[in-house]
Each structure stands twice: as C-alpha cells, then as structure tokens.
C-alpha cells in the first residue's frame, strides 16, 4: 500500500484512493490493511458480526503508513466488502447507512446466496443509486485450492 500511495504522487493533479486489502493465509487467518476505506464485515458461523479495519489509516495518496492486522477467518466465516455507494447517498449519511447494512446482514439467512446478496443491495439502495455500488462476498468453505 505504501508503494501504491507513493505512485499517486506522480499524478499531475493531487488525488486519493481508498482501499481495503486482505489476504487469506494458509490456515484460518485473514491479514488485512485499510487505507481509508469503509470497514469490511466478518460474519461468523455463529451469526456474530464484526467490522474490520475501521479508521485504520488515511487513503492512498494521502497516507504513508498502513497498519497490517490479522484476524481469525475459520471455515464457515463470510467476508463482505462494499463500496460507499451501497451505504451512502445524497439523502443518507454514511454512518446511518452502515448501521442499516449491519442490521440487514444480521437478518440474512445463512448460508448466504447470490440472491440474498442481490436482495441486500436492493434493500439498501431502494433500487436506485447516485454512486457506484458493489458488494463482494467471500465464504470460507475450508477446502484447499491449488
């Protein structure tokens, strides 16, 4: 992240980019860093919901230090990443949108399906949006891949 942040200094106009970067290590851990992005969500097998990386660092192009953290990511855990367009709009504050997201995710049936994720996006956006909207869903199955 430090290298990418330094690359942004080469732009003629000052700019910044947010980024949540995560690596699933062999075993059951997730190593992550957050550069000004909204927190990721971990949905544990028992239904507990955890926010990851909230307010960890400034965006790329502004910050220079990006703290790396590690958390448990055992089989059965879900990771959800999303853009601000899912939780924020001209008529909705981002804090309120995140609260709505947390409640909506907690109410989803398990295991999550693509239909449930599509429904989550429709619920939070009301079917309209004035910014980019993306939701990335990762389920740790416990299977090893080569």
């Amino acid at each position: 992240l430090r290298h990418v942040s330094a690359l942004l200094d080469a732009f003629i106009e000052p700019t910044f980019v947010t980024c949540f970067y995560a690596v699933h290590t062999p075993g059951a851990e997730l190593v992550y860093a957050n550069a000004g992005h909204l927190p990721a969500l971990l949905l544990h097998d028992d239904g507990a919901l955890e926010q990851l990386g909230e307010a960890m660092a400034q965006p790329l192009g502004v910050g220079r230090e990006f703290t790396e953290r590690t958390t448990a990511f055992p089989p059965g855990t879900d990771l959800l990443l999303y853009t601000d367009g899912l939780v924020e709009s001209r008529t909705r504050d981002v804090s309120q949108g995140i609260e709505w997201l947390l409640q909506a995710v907690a109410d989803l049936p398990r295991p999550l399906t693509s239909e449930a994720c599509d429904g989550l996006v429709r619920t939070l956006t009301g079917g309209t949006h004035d910014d980019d909207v993306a939701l990335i869903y990762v389920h740790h199955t416990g299977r090893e891949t080569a």
Side-chain angles (χ1 to χ4, degrees):
L1 292 176
R2 281 190 307 277
H3 294 297
V4 174
S5 190
L7 286 173
L8 290 175
D9 288 339
F11 282 52
I12 294 172
E13 295 292 322
T15 190
F16 70 91
V17 178
T18 67
C19 176
F20 186 94
Y21 184 81
V23 175
H24 181 206
T25 63
E29 290 185 330
L30 190 70
V31 178
Y32 64 94
N34 189 356
H37 203 276
L38 296 170
L41 302 179
L42 271 188
L43 182 56
H44 296 279
D45 198 27
D46 65 1
L49 195 56
E50 176 183 358
Q51 293 185 67
L52 294 182
E54 188 172 16
M56 279 181 66
Q58 295 178 319
L60 301 171
V62 177
R64 296 291 178 249
E65 295 298 320
F66 304 96
T67 303
E68 182 180 285
R69 296 210 175 118
T70 302
T71 191
F73 190 56
T77 304
D78 298 324
L79 174 67
L80 293 122
L81 304 163
Y82 54 95
T83 59
D84 62 344
L86 182 64
V87 294
E88 180 182 41
S89 72
R90 291 187 178 112
T91 61
R92 178 178 53 200
D93 174 78
V94 69
S95 298
Q96 179 64 57
I98 291 174
E99 287 302 316
W100 289 351
L101 172 64
L102 293 170
Q103 184 60 53
V105 169
D107 292 342
L108 290 175
R110 299 291 305 273
L112 293 181
T113 62
S114 59
E115 292 80 14
C117 290
D118 289 344
L120 176 66
V121 171
R122 277 191 306 278
T123 296
L124 291 173
T125 64
T128 63
H129 52 86
D130 52 19
D131 196 359
D132 62 314
V133 174
L135 175 69
I136 298 172
Y137 165 65
V138 178
H139 175 71
H140 184 199
T141 62
R143 291 190 299 249
E144 295 291 324
T145 59

